[in-house]
Amino acid sequence: MKDISLMQLANVDAYMEEAGSLHKAMLPLGFFTAFCFHHGLLSPAFLQQHESLLARVRYQEGQVSELFAANGAVLTKEDFNPSGYAFLQSYLGKLAEDYKATFGAGCYDIDDSWENYQLFAKVFVRAHLGAPKGKGITKPIVQSIKATWKKLWR
């Protein structure tokens, strides 16, 4: 059992009033916890403690918030590796805002499903890794190829 006397960084209570029920309040942090698992941001101790549940999360079976619920619906510094802790610190203040922006006014009425997780995971990826750098790299490559062809045909 988790010692909840450790400093809690995030817990379900922050979402209870707006969500209206415990299950609905677990959605934002449940999605966040699943994302952290999929991106290697959780501590070895956390992974060992919840080993029996990790296969379900890995294969996206059951409800997304199960891992967060199994952790007592709280997150502490000890739950994360250094990269995960840095991400949590930088992102936690935006989590509720991004959750509402992603799912709209009825955000707490959505299903605790992997389909909804995938929608929100895109937001997490941008917050964690930054926006993709798609077109910027292709333009110099195309210009290089054109220049090479011009030299060949002279």
Side-chain angles (χ1 to χ4, degrees), residues 12-84:
V12 72
D13 294 341
Y15 301 88
M16 280 295 292
E17 184 177 332
E18 198 167 348
S21 74
L22 179 61
H23 178 73
K24 292 177 181 182
M26 285 196 297
L27 291 174
L29 288 169
F31 288 2
F32 182 80
T33 306
F35 176 83
C36 289
F37 168 72
H38 284 287
H39 290 269
L41 301 173
L42 298 172
S43 71
F46 182 98
L47 298 174
Q48 184 178 11
Q49 182 180 0
H50 302 293
E51 188 173 7
S52 63
L53 186 56
L54 297 181
R56 288 174 55 82
V57 178
R58 181 174 293 112
Y59 296 114
Q60 298 187 357
E61 298 172 345
Q63 295 180 321
V64 181
S65 64
E66 283 183 83
L67 186 58
F68 178 62
N71 202 50
V74 299
L75 296 172
T76 67
K77 180 178 180 180
E78 290 74 20
D79 294 331
F80 297 91
N81 63 29
S83 297

Side-chain angles (χ1 to χ4, degrees), residues 127-144:
H128 181 56
L129 302 174
K133 298 181 177 24
K135 294 182 181 178
I137 196 162
T138 58
K139 191 171 184 178
I141 292 171
V142 170
Q143 288 174 343
S144 174

Side-chain angles (χ1 to χ4, degrees), residues 89-103:
Q89 285 187 305
S90 69
Y91 185 68
L92 188 59
K94 288 193 65 182
L95 178 63
E97 177 185 330
D98 284 351
Y99 181 76
K100 291 173 191 171
T102 302
F103 297 111

